[in-house]
């Protein structure tokens, strides 16, 4: 009986079993790749930690805030570069958020329909320009312009102010923390603007229309309806920008001035974790304490960006589900 | 006193046409100011892009000539080109994409077709998103640890692997997004015809999402073509002609980096030529990808 059945329908039976086998193989190929991605992130964390271990062992917890970086004495500390990383990233956010909000507001509410596509694409292209190009542009165009015009003006007008004046003193080199933050701001602008635009577009039109119906102006609708509705996601977008700014390497390396000291002036030189690693790596011998310190810095940077990016993703979860 | 107050034009809940008009004017003024600021912000953003493109065009074309494409990098003053860097970049970017794309597609497929709503799928999606935004310099350090140190030196392969790691999350994101757009009725129809699931995915889902997936691949190529930081510690750069993947290999971004930081006029000029090439390539890939996606919608 069963023999007759198999004989009568040999092809479907074969196809079915082949299908089952194919299904199993394909599903496991997919799942295996997923596991590979998990393993990849795990391996990055573990490898960086192991590689940085000699430095953590040698310097202990003070490695995090020690400002020493002396290759001759073999004494290394992460203080300056952690400070530089955080200050440049936070300053970049301060510069970028108002601009990004303006762009997103313009693209969702103000621009005529035919302009939205092209302008939106142009802003997004800012995100596609490679980091090294920003570095060259910043170094050869922005830094000289800042040194000649903007920084002398700011130093003259704000340098003498009480309380905040010290932020704007010193010589106008052009390069430095301020310029690095400025370039970073332009680089993260498209990420923040794109997130803001996307979440602004998710506000149900009925809410906005009822507000307009009450006689609200465009800005009042933005302030009273759109922003409260999208607040959490907007913060998520800002955190995404912060995460990007923390780890940016090449552009910062070009314009930050690369000095291992903490200056109170925003125009002073500094460094970030990423720029320090990029610059010093080539001069470190395999197995040296310096190399271990650089890899330990990499581990710290990873932890920093992981926290920021994970927060960003948590805040944006409602947008991701939609 | 109290009489004059109650009779006077004190702004309050009572309707007063003059006060109302003044308030209205003020609200409109604020609105107009903020609108103008937003237009201004957009113009500033566009001005940055314009400034970058104009600088690149101006200084890049100035330095552009046939030598750039026919000569390898040479010491300052001896009329070198960028041939080895261009070829090295092409090799590493395309091999990196070739390795990263299938993995990324499978992960994206897993997330969209097998793991919707599962905890493990959420975890994979989360990790992939972290990798997407994680600093690329760390991926370079990681590959240095696993491929450069144990295998005795910088190599083109290490660069390829670093770029592949960067490609994966980009492709995962677009593949999953595009697959979730496909209506479930289509899947049910295919399964209803007796097709195994893998055939449904490969021949129906992937095929329907093809232009979206290709968009993702193009964006991934554009992303890795300009990556500098991860290559610093992996393929290192090479001033001589070499297409041997077991040796250090030149790449356009690394060459630009070392030339732009040098004090030599002709090297800086070459760096601008390279910068123009890379930006043109990356931006046109981006525009192409967007056009593909728009054609789909």
């Amino acid at each position: 009986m069963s023999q007759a059945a198999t004989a009568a329908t040999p092809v479907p039976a074969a196809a079915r079993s082949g299908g089952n086998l194919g299904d199993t193989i394909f599903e496991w190929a997919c799942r295996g790749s997923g596991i590979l991605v998990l393993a990849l992130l795990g391996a990055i964390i573990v490898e960086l930690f192991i590689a940085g271990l000699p430095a953590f062992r040698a310097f202990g917890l003070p490695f995090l805030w020690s400002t020493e970086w002396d290759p001759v004495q073999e004494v290394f500390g992460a203080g300056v570069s952690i400070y530089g990383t955080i200050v440049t990233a936070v300053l970049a956010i301060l510069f970028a958020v108002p601009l990004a909000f303006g762009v997103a507001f313009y693209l969702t509410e103000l621009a005529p329909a035919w302009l939205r596509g092209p302008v939106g694409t142009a802003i997004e292209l800012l995100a596609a320009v490679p980091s090294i190009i920003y570095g060259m542009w910043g170094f050869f165009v922005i830094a000289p312009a800042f040194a000649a015009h903007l920084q002398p003006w700011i130093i003259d007008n704000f340098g003498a102010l009480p309380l905040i004046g010290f932020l704007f003193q010193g010589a106008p080199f052009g390069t430095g923390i301020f310029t690095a933050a400025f370039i970073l701001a332009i680089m993260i602008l498209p990420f923040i603007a794109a997130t803001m635009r996307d979440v602004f577009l998710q506000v149900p039109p009925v809410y906005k229309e009822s507000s307009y119906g009450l006689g609200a102006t465009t800005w009042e609708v933005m302030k009273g309806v759109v922003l409260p509705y999208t607040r959490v996601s907007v913060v998520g977008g800002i955190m995404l920008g912060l995460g990007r700014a923390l780890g940016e390497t090449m552009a910062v390396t070009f314009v930050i001035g690369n000095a291992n000291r903490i200056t109170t002036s925003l125009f002073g030189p500094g460094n970030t974790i990423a720029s320090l690693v990029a610059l010093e790596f080539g001069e470190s011998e395999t197995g040296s304490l310096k190399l271990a310190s650089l890899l330990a810095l990499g581990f710290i940077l990873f932890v920093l960006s992981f926290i920021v990016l994970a927060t960003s993703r948590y805040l944006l979860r409602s947008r991701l589900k939609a | 006193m109290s009489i004059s107050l109650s009779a006077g034009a004190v702004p309050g809940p009572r309707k007063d046409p003059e006060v109302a008009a003044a308030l209205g004017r003020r609200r409109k003024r604020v609105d107009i100011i903020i609108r103008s600021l937003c237009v201004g912000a957009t113009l500033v953003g566009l001005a940055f892009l314009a400034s970058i493109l104009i600088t690149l065009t101006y200084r890049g074309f100035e330095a552009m000539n046939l030598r750039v494409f026919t000569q390898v990098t040479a010491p300052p003053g001896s009329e070198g080109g960028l041939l080895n860097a261009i070829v090295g970049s092409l090799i590493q970017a395309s091999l990196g994409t070739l390795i990263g794309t299938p993995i990324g597609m499978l992960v994206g497929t897993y997330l969209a077709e097998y793991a919707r709503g599962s905890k493990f799928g959420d975890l994979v999606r989360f990790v992939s998103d972290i990798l997407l935004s994680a600093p690329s310099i760390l991926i370079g350090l990681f590959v240095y640890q696993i491929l450069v140190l144990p295998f005795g030196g910088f190599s083109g392969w290490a660069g390829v692997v670093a770029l592949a790691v960067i490609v994966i999350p980009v492709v995962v994101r677009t593949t999953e997004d595009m697959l979730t757009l496909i209506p479930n009725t289509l899947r049910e129809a295919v399964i209803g015809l007796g097709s195994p699931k893998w055939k449904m995915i490969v021949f129906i889902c992937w095929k329907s999402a093809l232009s979206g997936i290709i968009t993702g691949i193009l964006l991934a190529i554009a992303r890795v073509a300009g990556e500098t930081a991860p290559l610093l510690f992996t393929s290192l750069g090479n001033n001589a002609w070499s297409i041997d993947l077991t040796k250090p290999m030149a790449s356009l971004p690394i060459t630009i980096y070392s030339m732009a930081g040098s004090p030599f006029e002709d090297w800086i000029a070459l760096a601008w030529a390279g910068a123009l090439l890379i930006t043109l390539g990356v931006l046109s890939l981006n525009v192409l990808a967007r056009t593909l996606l728009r054609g789909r919608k």
Side-chain angles (χ1 to χ4, degrees), chain A residues 23 124 215 218-220 313, chain B residues 27 31 35 129 198 290:
Chain A
D23 266 350
E124 277 169 24
T218 316
W219 164 241
E220 285 163 351
R313 204 172 170 289
Chain B
R27 287 174 50 216
D31 189 50
R35 278 173 185 233
D129 279 356
W198 72 271
R290 272 158 225 282

Side-chain angles (χ1 to χ4, degrees), chain B residues 196-273:
Chain B
K197 190 167 181 179
W198 72 271
K199 275 193 179 165
M200 168 198 94
I201 292 170
V202 174
F203 294 110
I204 306 299
C205 294
W206 280 3
K207 205 177 164 194
S208 327
L210 190 63
S211 65
I213 294 174
I214 291 177
T215 303
I217 299 172
L218 290 178
L219 290 177
I221 300 174
R223 169 96 194 268
V224 296
E227 279 292 351
T228 318
L231 296 180
L232 277 174
F233 322 127
T234 51
S235 63
L236 189 69
N238 192 337
N239 280 329
W241 169 259
S242 166
I243 51 168
D244 182 353
L245 280 163
T246 58
K247 299 247 159 52
M249 191 177 240
S251 63
L252 211 38
I254 297 280
T255 310
I256 294 173
Y257 174 54
S258 57
M259 285 185 163
S262 77
F264 312 111
E265 281 302 318
D266 58 332
W267 267 26
I268 293 175
L270 255 186
W272 280 111

Side-chain angles (χ1 to χ4, degrees), chain A residues 22-108:
Chain A
D23 266 350
T24 317
I25 293 173
F26 193 78
E27 187 175 345
W28 275 100
C30 289
R31 184 168 295 147
S33 306
I35 294 169
L36 179 76
V37 168
L38 289 187
L40 211 53
L41 190 85
I44 293 176
I45 300 175
V46 171
E47 280 289 336
L48 287 179
F49 182 74
I50 291 175
L53 209 52
F56 289 129
R57 276 223 189 91
F59 306 115
L61 209 56
F63 180 72
L64 289 178
W65 56 82
S66 156
T67 55
E68 202 103 20
W69 189 270
D70 189 344
V72 182
Q73 309 277 337
E74 294 235 303
V75 181
F76 304 102
V80 177
S81 46
I82 292 180
Y83 167 84
T85 305
I86 293 174
V87 169
T88 48
V90 170
L91 263 184
I93 289 290
L94 289 183
F95 294 150
V97 167
L99 275 180
F101 172 77
V103 171
F105 188 19
Y106 177 78
L107 285 176
T108 50

Side-chain angles (χ1 to χ4, degrees), chain B residues 149-165:
Chain B
L149 270 186
F151 293 96
F154 299 99
S155 67
W157 279 121
V160 168
V161 171
L163 295 185
V165 173

Side-chain angles (χ1 to χ4, degrees), chain A residues 82-159:
Chain A
I82 292 180
Y83 167 84
T85 305
I86 293 174
V87 169
T88 48
V90 170
L91 263 184
I93 289 290
L94 289 183
F95 294 150
V97 167
L99 275 180
F101 172 77
V103 171
F105 188 19
Y106 177 78
L107 285 176
T108 50
E109 305 288 338
L110 306 177
W114 60 273
L115 255 181
R116 289 180 189 189
V119 172
T121 307
I123 296 290
E124 277 169 24
L125 283 185
L126 275 177
V129 173
S131 166
I132 183 135
I133 307 297
Y134 277 105
M136 283 185 81
W137 179 68
F139 186 72
F140 289 105
V141 178
I142 294 298
F146 274 14
H149 306 293
L150 185 68
Q151 291 186 358
W153 183 82
I154 295 180
I155 291 167
D156 288 346
N157 287 285
F158 297 97

Side-chain angles (χ1 to χ4, degrees), chain A residues 165-199:
Chain A
F166 69 91
L167 290 174
F168 308 106
Q169 284 163 358
F173 290 119
T175 55
I177 300 243
F178 179 82
T179 313
F182 180 83
I183 302 284
L184 279 177
I186 304 171
M187 299 181 72
I188 60 176
L189 162 69
F191 292 100
I192 305 179
T195 316
M196 283 191 184
R197 181 190 60 184
D198 291 352
V199 297

